[in-house]
Amino acid sequence: MDAIVAWGALAVIVLTYMILWYGLFRVTGRLDVVDSAWGLGFVLIAWVSLVIAQNFSAIAVTSACLASVWGIRLFAHIANRNWRKPADDRRYQELRAKWGRAANSKALTHIFLLQGVLLLLVGTPLVAIAHSGDAHTNALTLVGWAVWFAGILYESVADYQLTRFIRQRPHGSHALMTSGLWRYSRHPNYFGEVTAWLGAGLVAISLGQWWGILGTFVITFLITKVSGIPPLEKHYAGNAEYQKYAKYTPVLVPFLKP
């Protein structure tokens, strides 16, 4: 299939997927359902790309399975976390207050459809792998898969440790998580996510699809400069305990000097 037609078909499917999640928002009144859409969106991209490319090689299917493990795990984690809350996350409440009567229409364009575009950009390694044709596994492919799996595992452990810590600390306590993987990085879950997408990008490169590394750069930029780490660091800017923790703990990459 022509590349432009293939991308167009994938874009229509992904944006339709996000519109369905927008419909769920209108039914529930919860903007944070969009967070749950993120992980499953990559599962959709991975398998739809295989169907569009008609590529069901061992490399393509193995990569789609890794994307599925990452996406389904993240969906389950976020959905379980958000639906335990009685209301939307603070950031979404602030946006709705800021937008006023235009909140519903802006939610569609500024949150749901925008996230659909970001899904397509970050998912480029998955699309690239699917369109790799009859490429064969090589040493870099194996390294990419290993890095990909390591990232998934690291992110999963970090999320589990933080969730367990939050549930076990006394009600009303604002104690900080500084043990486990959080001892070596202030945001180990994000480090795992960046690592997973680095692995996906390496697999794409190993198959001769150099443009697939784009998604790795996009997700790294989003996490480090936009919607991942910056809001959290800003939230704790006035927290003396957190600032003390930040002095000796790297922001993202373990063991690097803060």
Side-chain angles (χ1 to χ4, degrees), residues 28-50:
T28 63
R30 296 281 296 263
L31 263 177
D32 59 5
V33 297
V34 74
D35 297 336
S36 300
W38 183 249
L40 289 185
F42 293 108
V43 179
L44 177 71
I45 288 174
W47 292 102
V48 167
S49 295
L50 295 194

Side-chain angles (χ1 to χ4, degrees), residues 213-231:
I213 197 67
L214 172 65
T216 304
F217 289 123
V218 173
I219 192 64
T220 302
F221 176 77
L222 290 175
I223 284 175
T224 59
K225 302 297 183 182
V226 184
S227 60
I229 293 173

Side-chain angles (χ1 to χ4, degrees), residues 2-3 8 12 43 47 50 73 88 101 103 105 127 148 154 194 240:
D2 181 84
V12 168
V43 179
W47 292 102
L50 295 194
R73 201 268 337 159
D88 258 338
R101 293 182 178 180
S105 59
V127 181
W148 198 340
Y154 200 92
V194 169

Side-chain angles (χ1 to χ4, degrees), residues 30-212:
R30 296 281 296 263
L31 263 177
D32 59 5
V33 297
V34 74
D35 297 336
S36 300
W38 183 249
L40 289 185
F42 293 108
V43 179
L44 177 71
I45 288 174
W47 292 102
V48 167
S49 295
L50 295 194
V51 173
I52 291 175
Q54 287 296 290
N55 179 8
F56 299 99
S57 65
I59 293 177
V61 172
T62 299
S63 298
C65 286
L66 279 169
S68 298
V69 170
W70 180 84
I72 293 172
R73 201 268 337 159
L74 184 62
F75 162 76
H77 169 70
I78 291 178
N80 181 57
R81 180 194 68 192
N82 285 357
W83 286 98
R84 286 175 177 269
K85 299 177 181 177
D88 258 338
D89 188 86
R90 181 189 70 258
R91 58 201 163 110
Y92 291 130
Q93 293 183 31
E94 292 173 352
L95 281 176
R96 294 178 76 169
K98 176 182 177 181
W99 290 337
R101 293 182 178 180
N104 288 340
S105 59
K106 286 196 173 184
L108 175 62
T109 57
H110 291 49
I111 296 180
F112 288 87
L113 293 183
L114 175 59
Q115 181 157 300
V117 173
L118 293 176
L119 280 170
L120 290 166
L121 290 174
V122 176
T124 52
L126 308 179
V127 181
I129 293 168
H131 288 270
S132 61
D134 58 354
H136 299 289
T137 304
N138 54 56
L140 185 56
T141 309
L142 298 178
V143 170
W145 280 338
V147 172
W148 198 340
F149 180 76
I152 294 171
L153 182 61
Y154 200 92
E155 183 178 8
S156 301
V157 171
D159 281 340
Y160 170 75
Q161 289 178 339
L162 180 60
T163 299
R164 184 179 61 177
F165 173 80
I166 291 174
R167 290 178 181 174
Q168 291 180 347
R169 70 185 179 185
H171 180 70
S173 170
H174 297 287
L176 296 174
M177 174 62 169
T178 59
S179 59
L181 296 181
W182 301 80
R183 176 183 178 184
Y184 308 107
S185 166
R186 304 203 295 273
H187 305 281
N189 51 339
Y190 285 138
F191 174 71
E193 186 162 347
V194 169
T195 300
W197 285 104
L198 172 61
L202 290 176
V203 173
I205 290 175
S206 78
L207 304 177
Q209 305 292 316
W210 293 88
W211 57 275

